[in-house]
Amino acid sequence: MIDTQNPVQRRDALDCIIGRVSEALLGKQDRIRLALTALLAGGHVLLEDIPGVGKTTLATALARALGLGARRVQFTSDLLPADLIGASIYQPQTGDFRFQPGPIFAEVLLADEINRASPRAQSALLEAMEEHQVSVDGTSHPLPDPFFVIATQNPTEQQGVYPLPESQLDRFLLRLSLGYPERAAERLMLSRGTTRPTARGLTPCLTPADLHQLRKAVHAVHVAPSVEDHLLDLLQASRLPGAFVHGLSPRAGLGWLNAARAWALLQGRTHVEPEDLRSLAPHVTGHRLHFADPGLLQGIGTPADWLLERVPAPD
């Protein structure tokens, strides 16, 4: 077990995770770091990208490097909530019903192509992602700890997809896009043939107990009142009348601060700086904020650009 109070051991463990996952997902250290940030902060990740750029590889490799169990569920138009959560099965021997857990009972759940499932199936994740439990026939069943969802979403212009409701989107801490690999990384990928065996064969850098200690270290990262004020300014700006369809929720603010704590820890610091909040802004706001006037996209850019321009960094 690592000593998370020892900054050298803590840094070595985090570097090991990023380096290990980078063996399978070539040239994407920045995205690996962001996914690890969400996991350490207790949040979930939405990956929006075209098929075939490594979304499944990221989930598999991250789970292996952390010593966690992972399960993959392919979301389809005929998927039912019971297919994901599980169901009570009648037992002829005893004459009662016994709950049979579904694939959602995993430490790392890859919800692949989540927006190809109907809203009814998508809603099965709402309680799980927020409360870390599922309810069946009036009985609550706790999920593993940690419980981390990496959901992949196809671009909305593709056929056969359903838009995710706001309540679902708000439960994802970060939205990421892997994008195409750089030329050198893709050349290495071509020479290997495939990276999936590499992802499945990774050895863990730490144990689940170590991960729990790292999460405790994240919550111990100091946040000065001036940093909290900067976050509050950003949240209030997102709620100005006429700016966005909906402003950022209190849940988004709490998640943003926890992500900034994890991001600071990954940088080797035990305190949050305003730049940590600003670096994460595009990934926290991209799936939550939509301009009330779409014409603003041409003059300003993204909602994060608008926020950061309106609320400058404190001196």
Side-chain angles (χ1 to χ4, degrees):
M1 179 179 291
I2 65 170
D3 180 5
T4 57
Q5 301 303 315
N6 185 318
V8 175
Q9 289 191 29
R10 185 173 63 222
R11 183 73 184 185
D12 288 346
L14 294 171
D15 287 345
C16 175
I17 296 166
I18 296 169
R20 212 48 74 77
V21 178
S22 297
E23 295 175 17
L25 190 66
L26 304 175
K28 297 295 179 183
Q29 281 204 4
D30 57 336
R31 293 301 183 258
I32 295 168
R33 193 177 296 273
L34 285 164
L36 181 57
T37 294
L39 191 152
L40 292 176
H44 309 285
V45 169
L46 179 64
L47 290 174
E48 185 175 72
D49 224 321
I50 62 171
V53 293
K55 301 185 293 290
T56 302
T57 299
L58 172 60
T60 303
L62 193 59
R64 292 291 300 172
L66 292 166
L68 302 176
R71 301 186 75 172
R72 175 180 178 273
V73 177
Q74 181 66 50
F75 278 60
T76 56
S77 59
D78 59 349
L79 185 77
L80 298 175
D83 298 329
L84 183 63
I85 294 174
S88 296
I89 307 298
Y90 179 70
Q91 306 297 314
Q93 300 85 352
T94 59
D96 59 2
F97 288 84
R98 181 183 302 170
F99 177 64
Q100 181 64 40
I104 200 172
F105 286 82
E107 292 168 316
V108 177
L109 175 69
L110 174 61
D112 208 7
E113 297 185 305
I114 186 174
N115 58 339
R116 288 201 182 278
S118 67
R120 181 184 178 191
Q122 291 175 17
S123 66
L125 280 172
L126 294 177
E127 181 186 12
M129 294 174 68
E130 182 70 14
E131 305 294 338
H132 290 197
Q133 66 176 28
V134 295
S135 298
V136 179
D137 297 332
T139 302
S140 297
H141 303 273
L143 292 166
D145 185 19
F147 174 66
F148 178 53
V149 176
I150 297 183
T152 69
Q153 176 174 253
N154 290 328
T156 54
E157 62 269 16
Q158 292 192 358
Q159 294 183 353
V161 299
Y162 298 85
L164 296 182
E166 286 81 0
S167 58
Q168 179 85 67
L169 289 171
D170 198 42
R171 282 165 168 77
F172 288 103
L173 176 53
L174 303 180
R175 186 185 72 172
L176 309 177
S177 175
L178 293 179
Y180 294 111
E182 295 181 354
R183 184 181 179 90
E186 193 162 15
R187 178 184 292 276
L188 181 57
M189 194 183 307
L190 290 171
S191 67
R192 288 185 180 180
T194 181
T195 57
R196 290 200 176 179
T198 303
R200 290 193 293 264
L202 294 178
T203 55
C205 291
L206 65 169
T207 66
D210 293 329
L211 178 58
H212 283 292
Q213 292 303 313
L214 281 175
R215 282 184 155 186
K216 288 183 179 180
V218 166
H219 290 294
V221 172
H222 177 66
V223 181
S226 60
V227 175
E228 289 184 344
D229 285 336
H230 185 52
L231 175 58
L232 288 170
D233 290 341
L234 290 165
L235 295 173
Q236 292 298 319
S238 77
R239 300 164 186 167
L240 290 174
F244 301 105
V245 177
H246 300 289
L248 292 173
S249 68
R251 174 169 49 202
L254 288 168
W256 196 348
L257 187 59
N258 285 334
R261 285 190 169 105
W263 186 254
L265 196 74
L266 284 167
Q267 311 304 316
R269 286 183 276 104
T270 56
H271 67 280
V272 175
E273 297 179 353
E275 192 55 38
D276 298 322
L277 293 169
R278 300 176 74 83
S279 296
L280 293 168
H283 313 294
V284 172
T285 64
H287 56 300
R288 291 182 168 98
L289 294 180
H290 303 281
F291 286 120
D293 179 7
L296 290 175
L297 279 169
Q298 298 179 358
I300 297 175
T302 67
D305 294 331
W306 186 93
L307 273 183
L308 297 181
E309 181 179 342
R310 191 175 189 89
V311 183
D315 296 330

